[in-house]
Amino acid sequence: AQSVTQLDSQVPVFEEAPVELRCNYSSSVSVYLFWYVQYPNQGLQLLLKYLSGSTLVKGINGFEAEFNKSQTSFHLRKPSVHISDTAEYFCAVSPSNTGGFKTIFGAGTRLFVKA
Amino acid sequence: DVKVTQSSRYLVKRTGEKVFLECVQDMDHENMFWYRQDPGLGLRLIYFSYDVKMKEKGDIPEGYSVSREKKERFSLILESASTNQTSMYLCASTPRDRGYGYTFGSGTRLTVV
């Protein structure tokens, strides 16, 4: 079974400042890792994903995430945020080769960018 | 542009009504999912389907049923709506490729009065 913990429920940050949204996971099988973004009153949109290979993955809107196997973490970062990045962000884990297709989502981190 | 379409963005129903939420995807994906999203609780899986006419219970199936008669359409049914089913409902689909990720619809905000 897999589980996902997003360590911060809310992250306020000033515009143009860097931000890190933290995600830890646990799993007994190998997994794929994802970050999704949800803007107000919309569905979730895939931001980036880690499948294999380089541990640093880049996504849309200038976001990137680093997979750390020893720490079982997949933290999301952006060097300079914009007001438009205000949204809720979800970390998710899915088994890579067994155990069905269900994806487990974290509880979400609400990023609030202030002017 | 590929997409998942949910038939209604906002819906208001009365307690006891039978409610149908429709979801259609145009990507030929095998897997489809229904989640509900509530503040502080994140996304909770209600039902999912790996193939036509196939369904499996998720984490909170009570009070819901589903139908998948065609590959592109996955319907969520509230047999007798109750006020505690007021929520945002999200449909998603994904192909057999486990690394693809989910494509979500825009959601249906259901209010049961």
Side-chain angles (χ1 to χ4, degrees):
Chain A
Q2 298 84 41
S3 68
V4 178
T5 302
Q6 292 185 241
L7 296 161
D8 306 291
S9 59
Q10 295 186 65
V11 174
V13 63
F14 284 103
E15 193 174 20
E16 298 184 6
V19 70
E20 178 179 81
L21 306 184
R22 297 180 294 165
C23 173
N24 288 347
Y25 71 94
S26 67
S27 178
S28 56
V29 300
S30 59
V31 294
Y32 294 145
L33 295 158
F34 305 84
W35 275 98
Y36 291 84
V37 60
Q38 184 180 31
Y39 299 104
N41 295 313
Q42 294 187 28
L44 280 70
Q45 176 185 358
L46 183 63
L47 202 54
L48 50 77
K49 60 186 177 183
Y50 173 79
L51 305 182
S52 65
S54 172
T55 57
L56 184 64
V57 292
K58 295 189 183 297
I60 61 173
N61 300 339
F63 283 92
E64 63 182 31
E66 185 156 21
F67 169 59
N68 187 318
K69 189 173 182 179
S70 62
Q71 306 271 348
T72 61
S73 67
F74 190 52
H75 299 335
L76 180 70
R77 302 185 183 105
K78 187 169 182 178
S80 176
V81 294
H82 303 290
I83 297 287
S84 59
D85 293 322
T86 294
E88 190 155 21
Y89 292 80
F90 293 90
C91 181
V93 59
S94 179
S96 63
N97 53 22
T98 187
F101 289 87
K102 283 196 299 180
T103 292
I104 305 300
F105 290 86
T109 297
R110 192 171 295 276
L111 175 64
F112 179 60
V113 181
K114 300 178 285 186
Chain B
D1 193 19
V2 295
K3 58 184 176 183
V4 175
T5 302
Q6 294 183 231
S7 54
S8 305
R9 290 299 305 275
Y10 299 93
L11 213 51
V12 180
K13 296 291 181 180
R14 295 193 179 278
T15 301
E17 275 193 79
K18 190 169 186 176
V19 180
F20 293 86
L21 302 184
E22 305 288 346
C23 175
V24 177
Q25 51 99 359
D26 63 1
M27 298 164 286
D28 202 36
H29 286 174
E30 287 79 11
N31 307 306
M32 296 188 74
F33 305 82
W34 274 106
Y35 288 86
R36 65 176 283 176
Q37 183 179 22
D38 301 287
L41 297 177
L43 276 72
R44 293 182 291 168
L45 181 63
I46 305 171
Y47 267 97
F48 59 103
S49 170
Y50 291 154
D51 205 346
V52 177
K53 296 191 184 297
M54 176 275 173
K55 61 186 178 184
E56 287 199 28
K57 294 180 180 179
D59 301 317
I60 51 163
E62 296 78 19
Y64 303 94
S65 63
V66 290
S67 172
R68 194 166 180 201
E69 296 296 319
K70 294 184 177 181
K71 189 175 185 179
E72 67 270 18
R73 186 180 296 269
F74 192 36
S75 303
L76 179 70
I77 304 154
L78 286 65
E79 298 292 342
S80 177
S82 64
T83 55
N84 63 12
Q85 292 178 311
T86 291
S87 186
M88 169 71 95
Y89 290 87
L90 294 168
C91 176
S93 72
T94 188
R96 292 201 195 284
D97 174 5
R98 296 169 183 274
Y100 188 87
Y102 283 17
T103 301
F104 281 88
S106 297
T108 295
R109 187 166 295 280
L110 172 68
T111 302
V112 182
V113 298

